[in-house]
Amino acid sequence: MKELKDLVAGDNVLVTSRYYRRIAKVDKVTKTQIIANNDRFRRDSGWQYGGDRWNRKSISVPTEKEISDIKEENLRNTLVYAISSFD
């Protein structure tokens, strides 16, 4: 299984915040940082540089189960929104 130190540009990562979980692509990797969706994360721990104090983000390497769970969650949220928009 991959670790944060093994990531390269184009890999998928799981971005977790207080309010959501999303799959994002790594844009760039430097010696100390991983950049995904214009957010900078520490390469050693996965925590976000700077950012909002109340909505700290972190990244991790997703498993296949996590990817499928997030896709189902997104589909469910889309369906709930579509159904709730009807009278």
Side-chain angles (χ1 to χ4, degrees):
M1 181 176 185
K2 273 191 162 182
E3 295 181 14
L4 289 176
K5 63 182 180 179
D6 301 329
L7 291 175
V8 294
D11 285 346
N12 288 329
V13 291
L14 172 64
V15 179
T16 306
S17 81
R18 186 175 186 174
Y19 303 106
Y20 62 83
R21 295 180 337 153
R22 292 189 181 139
I23 299 295
K25 286 214 181 281
V26 174
D27 298 327
K28 182 179 176 183
V29 177
T30 66
K31 188 171 73 170
T32 58
Q33 297 179 6
I34 297 171
I35 301 169
N37 284 352
N38 295 325
D39 290 326
R40 298 178 309 138
F41 299 93
R42 298 183 195 305
R43 192 167 179 185
D44 57 353
S45 65
W47 287 100
Q48 182 182 18
Y49 277 101
D52 187 4
R53 180 177 176 161
W54 297 102
N55 188 18
R56 293 286 307 238
K57 297 176 190 172
S58 67
I59 59 170
S60 61
V61 179
T63 61
E64 292 299 321
K65 180 164 178 19
E66 288 175 328
I67 292 172
S68 65
D69 288 347
I70 290 172
K71 286 182 180 179
E72 287 177 11
E73 196 174 300
N74 290 341
L75 178 61
R76 185 177 29 239
N77 290 340
T78 302
L79 290 173
V80 166
Y81 177 76
I83 291 170
S84 67
S85 65
F86 286 107
D87 286 338

